Amino acid sequence: MWRRTALLVSSRSAGQMVRLSTSAGRPRRAPRLVKVTNQKLEPQYLTPSEPMVPVYDLLNIRLQAYDFAVLEHYAKWVHRMLRAINVDVEDCWATPHTSARVTRLKPNTAIVETSYDLNLYERNVQLRDLPTTMAPVVIDLLQHSTPPGVQACLQRHKSEYDEVRYVPDLQLKELKQQLAEVGMDPDKRKRRAAQEAAAAAAAAAAAPEKS
Amino acid sequence: MRLTWCSRRLLLGGFQFSCRTLSQAARAEPAPSAGQAGPWHLYTAVCLQRLPVVAPPLSEMERRFTALLRQLEFERSLKSSHEIRHEMDIATAEALRASEGDDPDLAEAASLQTAADFEDACAEELAGFEPAPTVTEADRAGDQRSLQRRLSSRLVLVVQQRLGAGTSWMLPQGRHQDGATLRQVGRGAAGDTPRQTAEQTLQAMVGPNVNAQFLGNAPWGFYKYKYPKPLQQESGAIGGKVFFYKAVLRGGPVEPVADRVADHRWLTAAELGGQLRSGYRRAVHRLLIDHD
């Protein structure tokens, strides 16, 4: 079902004379055709509108700790607490831990006295469309509730945080490195583009030779 | 927009839908109250907090429940690798004794550090480690000006601020200069938002080197008070409206400025009651989540 919409333009500013626009002076534009489907049947409140308060797009609460049990319980608690105050929790994931070895040597020697293997575990809770008015409340609740040993951080989401979660394919990396050593571009697309360019150049060289 | 008794009845009787929208419009525009006969001075106050350094001690019930959970976990758990290693060490020692030292492999296995030795070494190292005390000197002395006091609670800065001739115990407070009209959404004459006024107030009261992280641009609390009569006539305002901002102390020295502040204290939420006036105290308590 199609309907013609007429263009209505009126401009008025305080103190000026009202100028009603007419199409007498300028060329007439073609009327805009607007596809109207179910416009009378769709209720008004389904039209998406801007939120009244500015929102943060994607925020991450990053929780880091050396104590795994405490960290997991706290991450669960944070998730439930945020759902209870109607914050939109988009995602919740565990980033692979980072290991560190701390070695203590006996003084003035290279003899190892003790060594510790420490794993820093991490949990992330992602929030979507957090209103800016709720952000200080969320920060305050996190500051009040963080258990000893856990570090909480609220930051905007970046794509690097997603890429860190993937396990690197070491075999593939090694093969690509071998290709680079030989002199070929490890990127398959660039190699194919180079081959095609070389073929086109060869064809162009052959064509003028013939002619 | 006021709905008189008659018109409201008419509307309720006839047009339900329009009545709802009209009453919503009436609520949107606040009816002029008696208190708006004259101007009010606006103030911003800062609730500067030092976060707790250590966790609070467990209560009696929490201690007993923790002990019960630990015992249950131990009873349901499987042997750890340390315990298995300990058992293997015992078996190796037995085998060595039975073979009377003939087998070189067993002798070599037995000469390595056993699990029991490792455990003893760990215990010795733990005994050598001395953690910092949770009850500090400031706690024992009861020094309320110290930041090292009550490490398991939040401390709020309360100052004895000079007001005119006298002083009063309150959160650090500063005047927010009004804009040309009250309609301007909160901006002061210098173009400052209330949050900027709060930051400037804090720096004016406790020195410019304080490192405080403010939570949000919107105030967390509100308190209204009337000036005494002579001050009302002198200043031309009925009283003051105070908007509280929360901040967390991140570092930096807190040096109260002598000509604005006579004295300062760092108090827990429970101790605030003794220091502040009752109406003001109730407004401040609404900002704080009280664990004690």
Side-chain angles (χ1 to χ4, degrees), chain A residues 104 114 116 136 140 143-144, chain B residues 125 154 216 246 248 250 291:
Chain A
R104 201 164 72 208
T114 39
Y116 306 93
D140 200 33
Q143 280 178 341
H144 268 100
Chain B
E125 193 181 336
R154 295 191 153 212
K246 261 192 186 176
V248 166
R250 283 280 172 230
H291 293 288

Side-chain angles (χ1 to χ4, degrees), chain A residues 128-149:
Chain A
R128 172 176 286 285
D129 293 339
L130 180 71
T132 49
T133 47
M134 278 295 288
V137 176
V138 168
I139 293 172
D140 200 33
L141 285 168
L142 286 175
Q143 280 178 341
H144 268 100
S145 62
T146 319

Side-chain angles (χ1 to χ4, degrees), chain B residues 58-182:
Chain B
L58 298 173
S59 69
E60 175 61 34
M61 198 188 76
E62 282 172 341
R63 257 183 286 131
R64 281 165 54 192
F65 191 58
T66 311
L68 173 69
L69 285 178
R70 286 241 165 94
Q71 192 185 356
L72 276 175
E73 195 190 320
F74 180 74
E75 285 173 11
R76 288 177 190 169
S77 66
L78 302 173
K79 286 180 190 164
S80 70
S81 53
H82 176 78
E83 286 171 313
I84 292 172
R85 184 178 151 200
H86 182 60
E87 286 175 357
M88 278 176 63
D89 288 336
I90 293 172
T92 313
E94 280 288 326
L96 193 65
R97 212 177 312 134
S99 71
E100 291 160 3
D102 288 336
D103 200 335
D105 293 329
L106 276 178
E108 190 189 324
S111 68
L112 293 170
Q113 188 194 38
T114 60
D117 290 338
F118 177 69
E119 210 174 305
D120 290 336
C122 289
E124 196 183 311
E125 193 181 336
L126 184 64
F129 175 76
E130 202 176 311
T134 47
V135 178
T136 56
E137 272 300 318
D139 275 314
R140 281 186 282 272
D143 179 16
Q144 287 187 333
R145 286 180 197 82
S146 164
L147 273 172
Q148 308 308 321
R149 197 179 139 253
R150 297 294 293 271
L151 295 176
S152 56
S153 311
R154 295 191 153 212
L155 295 180
V156 175
L157 177 67
V158 177
V159 296
Q160 193 177 20
Q161 194 163 332
R162 295 186 201 279
L163 297 172
T167 61
S168 177
W169 282 99
M170 53 172 51
L171 303 184
Q173 179 175 309
R175 175 87 189 276
H176 175 68
Q177 301 298 328
D178 301 339
T181 59
L182 284 174

Side-chain angles (χ1 to χ4, degrees), chain B residues 48-49 202-203 206-214 247-254:
Chain B
L48 183 64
Q49 304 167 85
L202 187 67
Q203 289 188 340
V206 297
N209 299 321
V210 68
N211 183 5
Q213 180 193 39
F214 275 78
V248 166
L249 184 68
R250 283 280 172 230
V254 173

